[in-house]
């Protein structure tokens, strides 16, 4: 190899590294400013009525129950009221019952599915939601900067932390083949296509053993596959026809493993980041992986990101869907709509006048 070719390759590598470094710094600063450090305020409540929707089969459920109960009593409040989910009901009747007691805050002890159910009931109310992450992904907790491994800190934040408004999103699922129609709220990332296929095909035993890493094994098996034709309409723009493997709708972008999948996705900007993925081969997936891991800001034709408040997807044949990591059936039409600043969530930062309660 001649010297000038070697110098050219070195220059290209340095340019790539520099642009990556600058893009990461810029996007990281923007992400922290809005997603993590959004405006929060003191609840102003000296006394609080606390309801807890708890999944009792989670590994640390009993420990969480004890911490919450002791913290409320030490603060001089009424004892918290607990509502346990079941295998048949992930929280629908429990949050309905909890709201009859007119709580000031509802704590959610469970996984992403339970959080979604409670959030749907609390959206557009002034009742705050406190997060006690006990699941595998704990997606929303990660995106509001909770330490998902510190149960005591999460309880303290849920009870005594500050609070802020975040966006939610609603997805209407229609299947013309079966006549099925349903609407669901999601908080982090929903999608249609391969991402939902991977979730449906993840080995339950492996997931229990290694947590979110189990999705990687299923993802590798689903890399080969054909693209499918869909129409996409963003806000009031004309439909565009695309061949896709997956389309994601991101309210925010941090996923397990510390990966900021969509750094520009802000949880409080009143917009969704719509990611259209259309790789033809394993090499295409590899290029996308490199872009995501290095947070490179350069454009990649097989991974297009749009910003929109409302998205409509139409499919000639039913395609699987998912909401915050839970499968949600097949659809021939999706309508996804952001609901700006519709949910009040407790976040880190001790409220004025409150005192931390020891274990």
């Amino acid at each position: 190899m001649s010297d000038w070719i070697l110098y050219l390759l070195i220059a290209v590598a340095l340019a790539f590294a520099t642009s990556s470094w600058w893009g990461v710094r810029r996007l990281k600063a923007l992400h922290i400013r809005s997603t993590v450090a959004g405006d929060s305020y003191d609840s102003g409540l000296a006394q609080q009525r606390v309801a807890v929707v708890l999944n009792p089969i989670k590994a640390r459920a009993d420990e969480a129950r004890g911490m919450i109960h002791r913290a409320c009593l030490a603060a001089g409040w009424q004892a918290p009221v607990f509502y346990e989910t079941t295998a048949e009901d992930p929280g629908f009747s429990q949050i309905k019952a909890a709201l009859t007691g007119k709580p000031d805050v509802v704590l959610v002890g469970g996984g992403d599915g339970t959080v979604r159910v409670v959030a749907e009931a609390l959206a557009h109310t002034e009742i705050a939601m406190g997060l006690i992450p006990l699941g595998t992904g704990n997606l929303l907790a990660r995106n509001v900067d909770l330490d998902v491994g510190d149960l005591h800190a999460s309880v303290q934040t849920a009870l005594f932390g500050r609070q802020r408004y975040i966006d939610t999103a609603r997805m209407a699922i229609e299947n013309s083949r079966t006549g099925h129609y349903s609407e669901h709220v999601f908080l982090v990332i929903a999608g249609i296509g391969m991402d939902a296929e991977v979730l449906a095909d993840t080995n339950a035993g492996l997931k229990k053993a290694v947590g979110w890493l189990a999705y990687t094994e299923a993802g590798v098996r689903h890399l080969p596959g054909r693209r499918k034709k869909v129409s996409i309409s963003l806000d009031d723009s004309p439909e565009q026809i695309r061949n896709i493997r997956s389309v994601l709708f991101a309210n925010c972008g941090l996923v397990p493993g510390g990966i900021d999948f969509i750094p520009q996705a802000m949880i409080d900007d009143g917009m969704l980041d719509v990611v259209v993925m259309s790789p033809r081969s394993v090499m295409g997936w590899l290029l996308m992986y490199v872009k995501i891991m290095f947070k490179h800001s350069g454009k990649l034709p097989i991974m297009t990101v749009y910003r929109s408040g409302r998205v409509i997807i139409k499919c000639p044949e039913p395609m699987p869907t998912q909401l915050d990591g839970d499968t949600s059936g097949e659809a021939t039409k999706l309508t996804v709509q952001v609901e700006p600043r519709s949910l009040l969530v407790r976040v880190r930062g001790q409220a004025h006048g409150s005192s931390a309660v020891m274990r």
Side-chain angles (χ1 to χ4, degrees), residues 194-269:
M194 178 184 159
D195 57 304
E197 294 173 358
V198 169
L199 290 169
D201 198 27
T202 297
N203 183 282
L206 187 61
K207 182 178 176 182
K208 187 175 181 179
V210 301
W212 61 269
L213 289 172
Y215 299 127
T216 303
E217 184 272 337
V220 170
R221 285 190 283 109
H222 281 266
L223 287 181
R226 67 183 181 90
R227 302 189 301 172
K228 297 182 180 179
K229 183 174 293 186
V230 302
S231 73
I232 304 173
S233 177
L234 305 169
D235 291 326
D236 297 321
S237 64
E239 291 184 349
Q240 53 175 299
I241 305 299
R242 297 289 298 272
N243 291 311
I244 63 99
R245 290 296 307 278
S246 187
V247 180
L248 299 177
F249 317 98
N251 189 35
C252 44
L254 193 64
V255 297
I259 300 171
D260 208 346
F261 181 66
I262 309 167
Q264 65 269 39
M266 305 301 172
I267 204 170
D268 56 4
D269 62 356

Side-chain angles (χ1 to χ4, degrees), residues 29 81 101 104 140 270 284 304 336:
V81 183
D104 298 300
L140 182 61
T304 312
V336 186

Side-chain angles (χ1 to χ4, degrees), residues 18 28 36 49 60 80 82 90 98 123 154 192 203-204 240 258 261 267 271 308 318 327:
T18 302
K28 184 177 180 181
V36 174
R49 293 184 299 275
R60 305 186 70 184
F82 290 85
S154 294
I192 182 170
N203 183 282
Q240 53 175 299
F261 181 66
I267 204 170
M271 299 293 284
S308 179
T327 56

Side-chain angles (χ1 to χ4, degrees), residues 5 11-12 28 52 73 101 104 116 121 130 137 143 146 155 182 192 202-203 219 227 231 243 248 253 304-305 355:
I5 295 178
V12 169
K28 184 177 180 181
V52 186
L73 294 185
D104 298 300
R116 232 180 0 92
N143 278 278
L146 296 186
V155 169
S182 61
I192 182 170
T202 297
N203 183 282
R227 302 189 301 172
S231 73
N243 291 311
L248 299 177
T304 312
V305 181
S355 57

Side-chain angles (χ1 to χ4, degrees), residues 79-276:
V81 183
F82 290 85
Y83 302 86
E84 294 189 352
T85 65
T86 65
E88 297 75 24
D89 187 343
F92 294 104
S93 62
Q94 291 81 359
I95 183 59
K96 184 177 180 180
L99 292 178
T100 63
K102 298 183 178 179
D104 298 300
V105 60
V106 177
L107 275 54
V108 190
D112 296 312
T114 308
V115 170
R116 232 180 0 92
V117 170
V118 173
E120 185 163 354
L122 296 184
H124 304 288
T125 74
E126 293 301 312
I127 301 172
M129 181 171 73
L131 299 168
I132 312 296
L134 301 176
T136 302
N138 303 307
L139 296 175
L140 182 61
R142 296 175 191 275
N143 278 278
V144 294
D145 196 33
L146 296 186
D147 183 348
V148 299
D150 191 335
L151 182 59
H152 178 258
S154 294
V155 169
Q156 293 295 301
T157 295
L159 292 173
F160 307 110
R162 294 170 68 81
Q163 55 194 36
R164 61 176 289 203
Y165 287 99
I166 65 170
D167 300 341
T168 63
R170 182 172 294 272
M171 186 161 81
I173 302 170
E174 302 178 49
N175 188 331
S176 61
R177 301 280 181 89
T178 64
H180 171 81
Y181 176 89
S182 61
E183 289 190 19
H184 308 274
V185 162
F186 69 93
L187 303 166
V188 182
I189 299 177
I192 182 170
M194 178 184 159
D195 57 304
E197 294 173 358
V198 169
L199 290 169
D201 198 27
T202 297
N203 183 282
L206 187 61
K207 182 178 176 182
K208 187 175 181 179
V210 301
W212 61 269
L213 289 172
Y215 299 127
T216 303
E217 184 272 337
V220 170
R221 285 190 283 109
H222 281 266
L223 287 181
R226 67 183 181 90
R227 302 189 301 172
K228 297 182 180 179
K229 183 174 293 186
V230 302
S231 73
I232 304 173
S233 177
L234 305 169
D235 291 326
D236 297 321
S237 64
E239 291 184 349
Q240 53 175 299
I241 305 299
R242 297 289 298 272
N243 291 311
I244 63 99
R245 290 296 307 278
S246 187
V247 180
L248 299 177
F249 317 98
N251 189 35
C252 44
L254 193 64
V255 297
I259 300 171
D260 208 346
F261 181 66
I262 309 167
Q264 65 269 39
M266 305 301 172
I267 204 170
D268 56 4
D269 62 356
M271 299 293 284
L272 293 170
D273 287 75
V274 183
V275 185
V276 180

